[in-house]
Amino acid sequence: RSHRRWGIIALPRPLDDADDDRRDRASSTPTPRRQPRRHLHSNYASDMASGHPVDELGRVLPECGWPTEKAAPGDLELVRRFCNTCNKENGADRLEGTSGLDRWLSSQGLDEIRAPEDGLKRITEFRELLRSHAIEHSSRSRTAPGDLSTAVADIDFGMVDRDGLIDVDVASGDPVRRFIGTLALIVMRSQHDGTWIRMKACRHCRWVVFDSSKNRSGFWCSMRACGGRSKVNAYRTRHAR
């Protein structure tokens, strides 16, 4: 013999005036709008542009030490900052004119040069030569960069004693040659200690960074900027098929 158990059936209660009021308030309350997605470029812009000076055309001048987590070790950081005096995305250049060069040198704790026009041209050309090597370090095509030794062929170097050790220093008295020679010596020493190969230019914006990854696999300026944008674009491409 089976026993059937009956559940309690809840009947709907009749609507009253309070229910009508609640329904009216719900219908009159506007539905909150979705906030627009923040584009990854805004992170890049805020990192690079917030509070930084602009040139006479209104372009934000590059912050040469950005990003701080990809700074190069020791004196090599000066070379990295020198390469980043020009922003390849907006064209702003901290070495625009002799006064711009001297302002940047002073900001790095270096003596002013007061370079003539041809001297300034040589300095900016040397900057792009260094960048071409950084591009080669991060490029899959392995394009041949310019010859650094040719660029400093007319600069005199001499042997000096530093705390009982033999070292090389720039012997040229000309300020332009002395500055370029100083950078070249930093590069030479970094080639010997294996850090020069880690100086890379971002595959998108050509910003120079130091790749400290164990397997030297980095090639973006920052995941907050070009790296993040590249991943988003790749994701959208995959899901658009």
Side-chain angles (χ1 to χ4, degrees):
R1 177 177 167 180
S2 62
H3 296 276
R4 179 177 296 176
R5 308 184 74 180
W6 296 89
I8 299 175
I9 301 176
L11 296 176
R13 66 177 179 81
L15 298 177
D16 54 17
D17 293 340
D19 293 303
D20 293 337
D21 292 340
R22 282 192 293 270
R23 187 170 56 239
D24 292 341
R25 285 197 299 271
S27 61
S28 61
T29 302
T31 303
R33 298 179 60 184
R34 291 184 61 185
Q35 294 296 322
R37 291 181 61 186
R38 190 179 181 187
H39 196 279
L40 284 169
H41 184 74
S42 61
N43 288 333
Y44 177 75
S46 62
D47 283 342
M48 292 294 295
S50 178
H52 293 306
V54 298
D55 63 10
E56 58 185 14
L57 298 178
R59 299 173 299 187
V60 177
L61 290 168
E63 177 55 44
C64 308
W66 181 91
T68 55
E69 66 271 17
K70 292 197 175 183
D75 292 338
L76 192 56
E77 174 63 7
L78 175 63
V79 178
R80 187 181 83 91
R81 290 174 177 242
F82 174 64
C83 292
N84 291 335
T85 50
C86 179
N87 186 334
K88 290 298 183 179
E89 289 199 308
N90 66 5
D93 194 339
R94 284 190 177 272
L95 307 188
E96 190 71 33
T98 300
S99 59
L101 170 62
D102 286 341
R103 279 194 301 269
W104 181 79
L105 290 170
S106 296
S107 71
Q108 305 303 309
L110 302 174
D111 294 333
E112 297 180 354
I113 291 179
R114 295 182 176 85
E117 185 176 347
D118 58 341
L120 179 62
K121 183 175 182 291
R122 179 173 182 179
I123 287 174
T124 54
E125 287 176 349
F126 188 68
R127 176 186 64 187
E128 297 312 310
L129 176 59
L130 293 174
R131 190 193 307 277
S132 71
H133 281 257
I135 291 173
E136 190 269 339
H137 294 165
S138 60
S139 174
R140 292 171 179 164
S141 61
R142 294 295 177 186
T143 55
D147 186 4
L148 286 170
S149 61
T150 302
V152 297
D154 64 337
I155 299 177
D156 296 326
F157 297 90
M159 309 296 285
V160 296
D161 179 84
R162 296 189 191 278
D163 299 326
L165 299 176
I166 297 176
D167 200 0
V168 181
D169 201 357
V170 184
S172 296
D174 175 66
V176 173
R177 288 193 177 101
R178 189 166 188 83
F179 175 62
I180 293 175
T182 299
L183 295 175
L185 284 177
I186 295 174
V187 172
M188 182 193 72
R189 291 170 183 137
S190 68
Q191 288 175 336
H192 285 282
D193 65 25
T195 53
W196 176 241
I197 193 68
R198 292 182 176 272
M199 287 282 280
K200 298 182 178 181
C202 175
R203 287 183 179 174
H204 176 75
C205 68
R206 302 309 191 193
W207 192 261
V208 176
V209 295
F210 184 80
D211 178 16
S212 59
S213 63
K214 187 175 181 180
N215 58 352
R216 299 198 310 236
S217 59
F219 44 77
W220 299 119
C221 59
S222 171
M223 290 308 297
R224 299 194 305 271
C226 295
R229 282 185 282 177
S230 176
K231 287 196 170 185
V232 168
N233 291 337
Y235 174 84
R236 289 173 179 171
T237 300
R238 287 195 305 268
H239 288 267
R241 296 172 183 172

